[in-house]
Amino acid sequence: QVQLVESGGGLVQPGGSLRLSCAASGFTLDYYAIGWFRQAPGKEREGVSCISSSDGSTYYADSVKGRFTISRDNAKNTVYLQMNSLKPEDTAVYYCAADSSCTYYSGSYSYLFGSWGQGTQVTVSS
């Protein structure tokens, strides 16, 4: 069964850090671009970051650039999202998903990504 599982979410104070993990089962992450997405209540899903399979290129939404870092550990079949300097507006359910490239992670075609996980809640609040 092809599946992605997110973990690492939680409650953190503004300015704090979290590291999210996206672990794959049933397939090898090496061959896929992996995107991180988030959705806050009442808002549309937003592409947060993506890492390509070909050369490890990384992409970030302007809202997280300089604060979030995406990385992959192919030996562990896992992609990470290190989130620093968290803000209340980062509060959302975070999802990871796979595609052949990062081309569509940031736009309205993000639905083309597949194998969506169940999500992990990130809450930034004092």
Side-chain angles (χ1 to χ4, degrees):
Q1 182 180 1
V2 174
Q3 190 176 9
L4 291 172
V5 178
E6 304 92 340
S7 62
L11 173 64
V12 63
Q13 292 186 342
S17 298
L18 284 173
R19 188 178 77 158
L20 305 184
S21 298
C22 172
S25 63
F27 69 104
T28 302
L29 279 182
D30 302 29
Y31 306 115
Y32 293 90
I34 301 298
W36 280 100
F37 305 83
R38 67 186 180 187
Q39 188 164 22
K43 294 188 176 182
E44 292 188 354
R45 187 173 61 203
E46 174 190 15
V48 174
S49 182
C50 189
I51 185 165
S52 72
S53 60
S54 55
D55 59 2
S57 295
T58 57
Y59 306 89
Y60 300 95
D62 288 343
S63 58
V64 306
K65 203 169 291 184
R67 301 188 296 123
F68 290 12
T69 302
I70 191 171
S71 62
R72 64 195 306 154
D73 186 336
N74 290 338
K76 294 184 177 180
N77 217 23
T78 301
V79 169
Y80 302 99
L81 185 68
Q82 178 67 43
M83 306 187 297
N84 298 329
S85 303
L86 282 162
K87 305 175 181 180
E89 51 264 42
D90 294 318
T91 296
V93 178
Y94 283 70
Y95 302 89
C96 61
D99 198 8
S100 58
S101 77
C102 289
T103 301
Y104 299 113
Y105 94 96
S106 63
S108 57
Y109 291 99
S110 64
Y111 68 87
L112 292 173
F113 276 70
S115 302
W116 292 84
Q118 83 290 347
T120 185
Q121 176 71 46
V122 172
T123 303
V124 184
S125 175
S126 55

